Amino acid sequence: MGTADWRAAKSPSYYKRGDYVPGLKVDGMDAFAVKQACKLAKEHALKNGPIILEMDTYRYHGHSMSDPVGAHTFTRDDISGVRQERDPIERIKKLVLSHDLATEKELKDFFINLNIDMEKEIRKEIDDAIAKAKDCPMPEPSELFTNVYVKGFGTESFGADRKEVKAALP
C-alpha cells in the first residue's frame, strides 16, 4: 500500500508492461482524454486484440482510516491545488462556463437535481436488493462453491468443529 511504484516494479510504466500487448498512458483526470482513449482502445480491441490503458489519476484520500491525508505522500495544500487545477469535474465546469454554455446557477441547479435524483435511485436500488436477498431462501450447502473454484480439486468446507464436512466439490 505504501510502496512507491518505482520500488515495487521493474518498470513503473505499467502501460508498457504488456510485452506484446500495446498500451497507452492517459490523463485519467481529463474526461475528454479518457473518452478518446476508450474510443481508440475499443476500435483497436475489435480489430487487433487487447490493449492496456493506464489511467493516471490523483487520489484525494488515504487508502484507509489508518492512512490519513498528509501522513505520507501528499499534503492538504497538494490536494487543494490538484482539485483547483486538475479535478475532472472542475475542468469541465470551467470549460462550460468559459464558452458560455451554461451559467453558474444553471450548473448548480443541474447538479443539485442530479445528485438528489441519483441518491433516490441508488437508495431504491439498494432497498430492492436487500428486500430480494431477504426473500430468497438460503442456498443448499452443496452450492457453497458453485462458480467459485474449479471442480476436481477436492475442496472441502468443514464446520466449526473441523470434523463434519459441510460441503465438498467433486
Side-chain angles (χ1 to χ4, degrees):
M1 177 168 86
T3 305
D5 57 359
W6 61 268
R7 288 183 53 214
K10 178 183 175 194
S11 170
S13 298
Y14 299 112
Y15 69 102
K16 294 180 182 177
R17 292 178 60 187
D19 292 327
Y20 302 104
V21 178
L24 291 172
K25 185 169 186 167
V26 183
D27 180 357
M29 302 292 277
D30 182 340
F32 298 115
V34 170
K35 183 175 190 258
Q36 276 304 114
C38 289
K39 180 182 175 186
L40 187 141
K42 178 184 176 184
E43 290 169 3
H44 181 277
L46 291 172
K47 292 178 187 171
N48 307 309
I51 186 169
I52 296 170
L53 293 179
E54 179 183 343
M55 300 290 174
D56 186 22
T57 61
Y58 189 87
R59 183 172 38 88
Y60 292 129
H61 304 283
H63 289 286
S64 66
M65 295 299 288
S66 63
D67 185 19
V69 171
H72 299 294
T73 56
F74 45 81
T75 66
R76 292 188 190 283
D77 290 339
D78 293 335
I79 295 168
S80 177
V82 170
R83 279 208 164 118
Q84 289 175 2
E85 298 300 319
R86 293 188 60 217
D87 184 81
I89 295 172
E90 287 301 315
R91 277 181 166 180
I92 291 175
K93 180 180 171 186
K94 286 178 187 176
L95 196 61
V96 166
L97 293 173
S98 70
H99 285 85
D100 295 322
L101 300 173
T103 65
E104 185 89 40
K105 184 182 179 336
E106 289 171 331
L107 286 177
K108 186 175 181 180
D109 291 346
F110 171 76
F111 282 110
I112 287 172
N113 292 331
L114 180 67
N115 287 338
I116 290 169
D117 293 343
M118 279 192 338
E119 188 171 337
K120 284 180 185 175
E121 272 183 49
I122 291 167
R123 287 186 188 277
K124 182 180 180 337
E125 187 176 337
I126 291 169
D127 290 342
D128 291 348
I130 290 170
K132 183 178 176 182
K134 285 181 177 180
D135 289 342
C136 287
M138 289 296 289
E140 294 297 319
S142 62
E143 292 294 315
L144 183 62
F145 294 109
T146 301
N147 299 322
V148 178
Y149 294 107
V150 175
K151 292 188 178 193
F153 287 104
T155 306
E156 297 175 333
S157 173
F158 292 89
D161 61 3
R162 297 286 298 148
K163 293 179 183 171
E164 181 187 352
V165 175
K166 295 289 186 182
L169 283 175

